[in-house]
Amino acid sequence: MFDRGLNWERRADGTILYRRTPSEPPFIIDERALGQILRFKFMIPLMSFLTLLPAVSLGPVARHGHVSFAVPVGAFLLGAAFFYAYFRSVERRIKRILAEARPSVQAPEPYKTPRDARGWKTLDDGSVQYWSRTMPRPVVMTPQQFAAIGNENSKVLACALLSAIILVLTDGYRWVGDINNGTAIAILMAVLLFNALYIARFRERRHATLKALPPAPSNAKVQPPLAVMQALLVAASVLREKVAGASVLMLLILGFASLFGMFSTGSTLIQLNEGVAFYFGKRNSFPMGPALPVGAFLVSVLLAKWTASALVARVGRKRD
């Protein structure tokens, strides 16, 4: 765990300095209080998404005349009101936690990007020890070279996002009949081939650059990077732990959101199967196929499974 965050800092004696805003005084809190505050803060952006999900899901249905436009507008207003109430409740909970904490005359230092992470470590002289998945050992590079690697990674992620958008639109145009299956398969193969060649060129150039750099000393403390599948499993485990650590009210909200997501995406898939066309944007600009609702349905099922497991575990602990 990092020793510094956006508005908190762990001191040498193990205590933690925390303040809500730069204009408010700092407080000394313990690890448990920090975990509660960070969990509350983590749920705010998630709640903002979940409260807007019903309105976004009902928008295409209202556009095709199946329900009145007042339904998604009402869902948006109710979601905004619910999110505001949740945000205020989070602020009150944090204030109650800080009311039991001791004030501090020392304020946490301004937040800076962490110097260490899995796979790289910044030294005091500014150099970086970096361990790539393509290398058997870590190397030493300058901050400029490390920044260049970050820019290349951003380009790869942008390429993957653009490819995903192209494939989603291709699925939509294939579903409404604007393109045939052969054209859709050709676009799919072209996108996959482009990404494969781009990633292969990227990996070859990265490997050649890292191979020319000096190796890190044998006593380097940088950890080897995780494999792609291991990183995905770790991310899923972290999300599962976040859901399991939420309050009962939050678990009920997540359960309702997952059930609503399953219902809305399932309804969309049924209507798509019956020939109803859904579009993104205005003027029927971009049609939607079944690929995106299927993905959203699987995510909703996974969220429902995690939420149900957390609720069952919470009820079991209370009985014990």
Side-chain angles (χ1 to χ4, degrees):
M1 185 176 181
F2 296 123
D3 293 333
R4 189 186 305 275
L6 185 61
N7 49 6
W8 63 272
E9 175 188 0
R10 182 178 286 103
R11 300 191 299 184
D13 58 357
T15 58
I16 299 171
L17 295 177
Y18 177 84
R19 62 179 177 186
R20 294 175 61 248
T21 61
S23 60
E24 294 189 5
F27 293 89
I28 299 176
I29 60 177
D30 56 10
E31 191 79 27
R32 180 175 174 274
L34 177 65
Q36 290 179 337
I37 292 174
L38 294 182
R39 185 170 68 247
F40 294 152
K41 291 289 187 180
F42 172 81
M43 289 298 177
I44 288 178
L46 179 61
M47 282 299 302
S48 66
F49 168 76
L50 293 178
T51 51
L52 290 177
L53 184 61
V56 175
S57 302
L58 292 171
V61 179
R63 181 176 179 80
H64 289 273
H66 298 289
V67 296
S68 172
F69 276 101
V71 175
V73 172
F76 172 77
L77 294 177
L78 289 176
F82 185 84
F83 173 73
Y84 178 76
Y86 177 79
F87 178 79
R88 296 300 301 174
S89 68
V90 168
E91 292 293 317
R92 288 193 297 268
R93 290 181 181 182
I94 294 177
K95 287 182 179 179
R96 285 197 297 267
I97 293 174
L98 296 179
E100 301 176 357
R102 294 182 292 117
S104 173
V105 295
Q106 181 184 1
E109 296 181 3
Y111 177 76
K112 297 180 181 179
T113 304
R115 292 167 54 90
D116 303 328
R118 190 176 186 94
W120 59 273
K121 179 179 180 64
T122 304
L123 305 181
D124 294 334
D125 59 357
S127 61
V128 180
Q129 294 178 351
Y130 180 76
W131 198 336
S132 173
R133 294 187 181 93
T134 61
M135 299 292 291
R137 63 184 185 277
V139 297
V140 179
M141 60 178 58
T142 63
Q144 293 77 15
Q145 292 170 331
F146 184 67
I149 288 180
N151 292 333
E152 291 178 353
N153 291 336
S154 300
K155 292 179 182 179
V156 172
L157 292 177
C159 180
L161 178 60
L162 180 61
S163 300
I165 294 174
I166 293 175
L167 293 180
V168 167
L169 294 180
T170 300
D171 180 62
Y173 283 114
R174 181 199 62 83
W175 187 257
V176 298
D178 289 348
I179 59 176
N180 55 34
N181 291 334
T183 304
I185 293 175
I187 295 175
L188 172 63
M189 297 303 297
V191 170
L192 294 179
L193 181 61
F194 172 79
N195 279 270
L197 294 176
Y198 183 79
I199 293 176
R201 180 174 178 272
F202 162 78
R203 288 174 63 89
E204 182 180 1
R205 186 172 62 247
R206 171 74 60 84
H207 184 75
T209 301
L210 296 177
K211 193 175 181 180
L213 295 174
S218 58
N219 59 350
K221 297 181 179 180
V222 60
Q223 295 178 329
L226 295 173
V228 176
M229 187 56 64
Q230 289 178 329
L232 293 176
L233 292 176
V234 169
S237 177
V238 171
L239 290 176
R240 190 185 303 112
E241 291 177 359
K242 292 291 185 181
V243 173
S247 62
V248 176
L249 176 60
M250 190 64 211
L251 289 176
L252 293 175
I253 295 173
L254 290 176
F256 171 78
S258 60
L259 292 177
F260 181 83
M262 293 168 58
F263 171 78
S264 60
T265 53
S267 176
T268 301
L269 289 173
I270 292 174
Q271 294 184 61
L272 284 173
N273 188 47
E274 293 175 350
V276 179
F278 294 94
Y279 293 84
F280 299 102
K282 298 180 179 180
R283 299 180 181 178
N284 295 350
S285 52
F286 304 115
M288 180 177 67
L292 190 61
V294 167
F297 180 81
L298 295 177
V299 172
S300 299
V301 171
L302 187 61
L303 180 61
K305 175 181 176 297
W306 289 352
T307 306
S309 300
L311 283 172
V312 171
R314 191 70 56 85
V315 172
R317 286 199 299 266
K318 286 184 177 181
R319 287 182 177 179
D320 296 338

